[in-house]
């Protein structure tokens, strides 16, 4: 996909929940999630453009410590959601 889109509502909701779980480190993630634009995606990856006007987070580069599990219809874990960070900016 070459044009930019807003995050799907269920992805935004998940990121806002993760930001809430981060406590004092969460507000930059909230702002980034609300302003991020999707530049490419697949079922397992979302590439984002986070505007430079959003404050960077203080998180270390790599995946955030919070990794929500993905379960199948039977409730069995089948994966996890990784929010990757580079230079204080998130990507999924």
């Amino acid at each position: 996909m070459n044009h930019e889109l807003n995050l799907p509502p269920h992805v935004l909701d998940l990121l806002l929940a993760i930001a809430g779980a981060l406590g004092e480190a969460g507000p930059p993630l909230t702002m980034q999630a609300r302003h991020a634009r999707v530049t490419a995606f697949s079922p397992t990856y979302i590439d984002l453009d986070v505007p430079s006007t959003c404050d960077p987070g203080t998180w270390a580069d790599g995946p955030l410590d919070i990794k929500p599990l993905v379960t199948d219809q039977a409730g069995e874990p089948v994966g996890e959601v990784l929010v990757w960070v580079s230079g204080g900016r998130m990507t999924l």
Side-chain angles (χ1 to χ4, degrees):
M1 176 166 292
N2 293 327
H3 59 285
E4 294 184 352
L5 301 171
N6 291 325
L7 284 170
H10 64 283
V11 175
L12 177 58
D13 290 345
L14 175 64
L15 288 171
L16 295 178
I18 292 170
L22 289 172
E24 292 181 11
L29 182 62
T30 296
M31 186 61 66
Q32 290 181 26
R34 292 190 185 280
H35 290 89
R37 303 288 288 176
V38 176
T39 58
F41 66 89
S42 75
T44 59
Y45 183 81
I46 300 174
D47 190 24
L48 302 174
D49 176 39
V50 175
S52 61
T53 55
C54 291
D55 289 338
T58 57
W59 324 292
D61 285 355
L64 289 176
D65 290 336
I66 298 173
K67 300 172 183 84
L69 285 178
V70 176
T71 57
D72 63 15
Q73 291 179 337
E76 295 296 318
V78 294
E80 60 188 6
V81 176
L82 298 176
V83 178
W84 283 87
V85 174
S86 177
R89 307 252 178 239
M90 69 159 177
T91 188
L92 297 175

